[in-house]
Amino acid sequence: MRRLAEVLEAVSQTSSKLQKIDLLASYLRSLSDEELRIACTYLTGAPFPAGEGRALNVGWSAIVEALLDLSGRPPEAMDQSYLRHGDLGSVAYDLLAHKTKTSLFTAPLTLPAVHAVFERMSAATGSGSRQMKLEALRSLFTDADPIEAKYLVRIITSDLRVGLKEGLLEEAIAKAFDRPVAEVRRANMLISDIGAVAVMARHGRLAEATLQLFRPFRFMLADTIFTPEEAFEDRADGAPPLLVEDKYDGIRAQVHHDGRRLAIFTRTLDEITSSFPELYQDLRALAPSYIIDGEIVAWRDGRAISFTQLQQRLRRKDPGALVDSVPVVMFVFDLLLLDSAPWLDRPLRERRDTLARLTFGRAVQEGYATSAAVPEELAVRFRDARDRGNEGLVIKRPESLYQPGKRGRQWVKLKEELATLDVVVVAAEHGHGKRAAVLSDVTFAVRDGERLAVIGKAYSGLTDAEILALTEWFRAHTIQDRGRVKVVEPKIVLEVAFDAVTRSDRHDSGYALRFPRIKRIRDDKTPEEINTLEDVVRIYERQGESRGGVSPRMGRGS
Ligand code: AMP
């Protein structure tokens, strides 16, 4: 663990990409297979590979409690340190530099030893689990020196902050074991387990990585466009028309089926099969063995109903009466594996043609798709999609291959409120009047490299029930209590709508939002996926072109 921490420290201190790769590559080369697998996972800032469905589920309060206890420092020391660094890992470093409790038998922390503790923590459930996790943290921090603790905390909280993207790690693996980086990336894309990929790379077995049923992988995503014309930019004359699909406002879902087992996974690769029993029959009938991609939407009488209602279903393992009060339909728009053969590398046109031949029903339907050769057709399709209660359009190149985890121009999305931003809440404060008792006013930020840049505050848009639930969450996850204002763990992602972006000194991003309102809580997105300051600047510059507003410019004459 010591060497991993030192390598991460060194990586954070250089801005040279080549140097980072060199540092990582020589470190990786020196590890045993077992260590390599674990180290690579930790280098992505996660305790377990994505897609394994395991999580530590420890709150900041348990980490802080363990640190304070071992260091013998008062809570104010933690507050001051947090104010200085804004990072719990650095707080751990500060606090443990004063460690008072050491064990007679401290052993050097090896990666397999850390892994064993993480496994125990993730398996703990039920009433005694907080205590068990607290003990596990104490034992880790007892054996850790300050720099190890700094990175342990960052891995536990999944926030590494060293400027190390997974793409860079893939390059380092390629360099360490002298393999083409494209092969490493491809293997990682297919099995979503960078540690296993590194071991395969060392032994020359990258070609063996293939899609595996019941091992979910990342979804292909769409870039935002602001006008129908943009969908056709960079499109050669004579290129085939674009595929146009409704943008459903629901839960993105990847379904795996092998004739016996059926599993539904979300964008965060969590399994949600038990929440949607009314889909099982149709999903089983679709084909004997497949992986498909689509969206589960709350749907009644041929129209979408509100996403807030659908959210109630996500929070329940057993939907009970909600099956009737919030009916759902799954719209399938992609085919990724059929009868053991992966389809990712075939053009979308072929994937859709094959998809169309599967057996659909009422609960599972083929996503609606047409084509468009000119922007005016998109403008018409946009209005049709809106009439069905959908959010807008996703426009896809028929030749596009399915690239897991990729957000690019192969697929683009055109939404109603073209400018919405996904942001993370960094502070919450008491409201006024009837909201004085709840934490209804939130301050939120976008990502700017490793830091979070505050961009605005919002007071409206959530239901009373959502505000109550969030208040409870904020109270349990307050990092710093400044009286009215609680600084909270940056975990809750919101989608906010607004009328314009303005320049402003009020927030440290240098920008502010005019009339921000919360559209919804984005449980399906992680803080890593929120919009960036770059996106904000892009919207700011674009709105100038459209006379200061960001309302849709839906083609000529509309
Ligand atoms: P956003 O949530 O705004 O980042 O938009 C991307 C999301 O649109 C995806 O994660 C999907 O959940 C959703 N989506 C809705 N309809 C489609 C579609 N036809 N194709 C691809 N993604 C879609």
Side-chain angles (χ1 to χ4, degrees):
M1 186 66 210
R2 175 81 204 219
R3 288 200 44 228
L4 178 79
E6 282 168 358
V7 168
L8 281 167
E9 195 72 6
V11 165
S12 74
Q13 278 159 13
T14 167
S15 56
S16 152
K17 196 175 138 190
L18 284 180
Q19 229 171 339
K20 289 185 197 214
I21 293 174
D22 279 347
L23 279 163
L24 290 165
S26 62
Y27 168 62
L28 297 179
R29 231 180 275 125
S30 73
L31 300 173
S32 70
D33 281 0
E34 186 189 14
E35 291 164 336
L36 179 63
R37 188 185 253 275
I38 302 169
C40 285
T41 304
Y42 295 173
L43 286 167
T44 64
F48 298 107
E52 251 190 17
R54 288 198 285 180
L56 292 177
N57 293 324
V58 283
W60 285 30
S61 67
I63 299 173
V64 169
E65 196 177 326
L67 289 171
L68 288 177
D69 180 35
L70 283 175
S71 68
R73 306 276 293 159
E76 300 79 61
M78 135 92 202
D79 283 355
Q80 279 163 9
S81 173
Y82 192 82
L83 263 186
R84 217 172 25 252
H85 304 290
D87 158 45
L88 198 58
S90 303
V91 171
Y93 184 95
D94 278 1
L95 292 181
L96 290 193
H98 300 271
K99 190 152 59 175
T100 51
K101 293 191 184 164
T102 44
S103 146
L104 272 182
F105 306 105
T106 50
L109 259 186
T110 62
L111 291 174
V114 174
H115 182 64
V117 177
F118 283 178
E119 282 195 313
R120 269 193 284 130
M121 287 166 82
S122 82
T125 51
S127 55
S129 67
R130 186 178 189 277
Q131 195 53 34
M132 184 264 141
K133 288 178 188 180
L134 191 58
E135 287 307 323
L137 288 172
R138 280 206 191 102
S139 80
L140 277 179
F141 296 148
T142 303
D143 288 340
D145 58 26
I147 185 156
E148 287 172 330
K150 173 174 171 178
Y151 287 100
L152 275 173
V153 166
R154 289 183 175 184
I155 292 163
I156 293 169
T157 56
S158 298
D159 190 6
L160 211 50
R161 296 176 179 234
V162 293
L164 171 57
K165 294 249 157 61
E166 196 156 332
L168 201 87
L169 183 56
E170 289 167 342
E171 287 187 54
I173 292 171
K175 169 134 206 225
F177 305 114
D178 200 16
R179 310 279 166 209
V181 65
E183 282 180 24
V184 175
R185 284 200 210 291
R186 190 179 155 71
N188 192 27
M189 198 165 89
L190 294 175
I191 66 170
S192 311
D193 182 344
I194 190 82
V197 168
V199 176
M200 288 174 158
R202 165 179 280 160
H203 298 290
R205 298 200 331 254
L206 285 171
E208 289 171 23
T210 75
L211 280 196
Q212 282 167 22
L213 272 159
F214 307 105
R215 168 123 220 157
F217 50 94
R218 306 250 168 241
F219 293 73
M220 180 156 173
L221 300 170
D223 226 348
T224 304
I225 55 167
F226 297 88
T227 64
E229 286 76 13
E230 272 182 82
F232 293 90
E233 278 171 13
D234 319 322
R235 196 102 183 115
D237 282 347
L242 294 168
L243 252 150
V244 188
E245 298 176 4
D246 282 25
K247 183 173 192 300
Y248 300 102
D249 191 8
I251 300 157
R252 185 82 176 266
Q254 192 179 90
V255 183
H256 295 225
H257 175 58
D258 69 356
R260 281 174 301 132
R261 186 174 162 204
L262 177 75
I264 311 176
F265 298 100
T266 62
R267 254 176 86 156
T268 36
L269 312 187
D270 297 311
E271 185 170 346
I272 48 162
T273 319
S274 65
S275 303
F276 299 102
E278 69 267 59
L279 300 179
Y280 300 169
Q281 199 183 349
D282 276 13
L283 286 174
R284 290 189 193 286
L286 209 53
S289 151
Y290 61 78
I291 302 176
I292 51 166
D293 182 7
E295 187 102 354
I296 298 172
V297 189
W299 197 259
R300 188 182 287 122
D301 304 328
R303 275 187 58 83
I305 51 181
S306 94
F307 182 81
T308 329
Q309 297 198 43
L310 181 60
Q311 256 178 338
Q312 299 173 30
R313 294 208 41 177
L314 252 191
R315 300 205 179 102
R316 298 267 193 96
K317 285 236 152 38
D318 171 9
L322 287 176
V323 166
D324 296 317
S325 57
V326 187
V328 300
V329 164
M330 174 162 181
F331 289 98
V332 183
F333 44 71
D334 223 317
L335 174 70
L336 312 175
L337 178 132
L338 188 64
D339 300 333
S340 320
W343 274 68
L344 305 183
D345 285 340
R346 310 217 199 172
L348 176 61
R349 180 76 270 161
E350 278 180 37
R351 303 202 301 273
R352 287 249 24 166
D353 288 347
T354 309
L355 184 70
R357 292 201 288 274
L358 304 188
T359 316
F360 290 96
R362 275 162 61 93
V364 177
Q365 303 182 15
E366 189 190 351
Y368 186 60
T370 52
S371 55
V374 289
E376 288 71 16
E377 285 178 303
L378 280 186
V380 173
R381 283 284 284 109
F382 183 86
R383 260 174 252 124
D384 291 348
R386 299 285 305 157
D387 287 346
R388 280 187 283 277
N390 292 328
E391 236 188 340
L393 300 177
V394 181
I395 303 140
K396 303 178 178 176
R397 299 191 175 200
E399 67 277 15
S400 60
L401 312 183
Y402 193 95
Q403 295 175 290
K406 179 106 180 181
R407 191 187 287 284
R409 303 297 279 185
Q410 296 291 312
W411 291 11
V412 289
K413 61 188 180 199
L414 189 61
K415 281 208 231 180
E416 171 220 3
E417 270 158 315
L418 291 165
T420 66
L421 285 173
D422 295 324
V423 299
V424 69
V425 177
V426 291
E429 69 188 276
H430 289 279
H432 295 277
K434 74 179 175 65
R435 296 210 157 150
V438 285
L439 295 166
S440 58
D441 300 0
V442 296
T443 302
F444 49 80
V446 288
R447 191 163 282 285
D448 178 21
E450 293 297 314
R451 84 181 182 117
L452 293 172
V454 173
I455 174 106
K457 265 181 156 189
Y459 317 93
S460 70
L462 295 175
T463 63
D464 288 343
E466 283 174 326
I467 292 174
L468 268 183
L470 275 184
T471 297
E472 211 174 291
W473 191 94
F474 290 145
R475 292 222 162 96
H477 297 83
T478 295
I479 304 167
Q480 222 185 64
D481 195 338
R482 301 189 188 152
R484 267 191 79 75
V485 180
K486 320 280 175 210
V487 178
V488 297
E489 287 175 37
K491 288 278 162 61
I492 301 286
V493 177
L494 301 176
E495 182 174 349
V496 291
F498 50 92
D499 289 359
V501 175
T502 54
R503 296 292 312 228
S504 164
D505 297 333
R506 203 165 355 129
H507 306 303
D508 62 7
S509 63
Y511 291 86
L513 304 182
R514 194 192 305 154
F515 302 129
R517 53 219 174 253
I518 302 167
K519 272 194 77 183
R520 70 159 82 136
I521 305 169
R522 295 293 308 242
D523 294 327
D524 61 327
K525 285 201 173 176
T526 64
E528 285 69 49
E529 292 179 280
I530 61 173
N531 282 105
T532 59
L533 191 56
E534 243 170 57
D535 296 330
V536 172
V537 175
R538 205 167 132 231
I539 294 172
Y540 177 75
E541 284 165 359
R542 283 214 164 249
Q543 71 190 3
E545 289 167 28
S546 64
R547 304 174 304 282
V550 281
S551 57
R553 290 182 293 145
M554 296 306 307
R556 261 152 263 139
S558 60

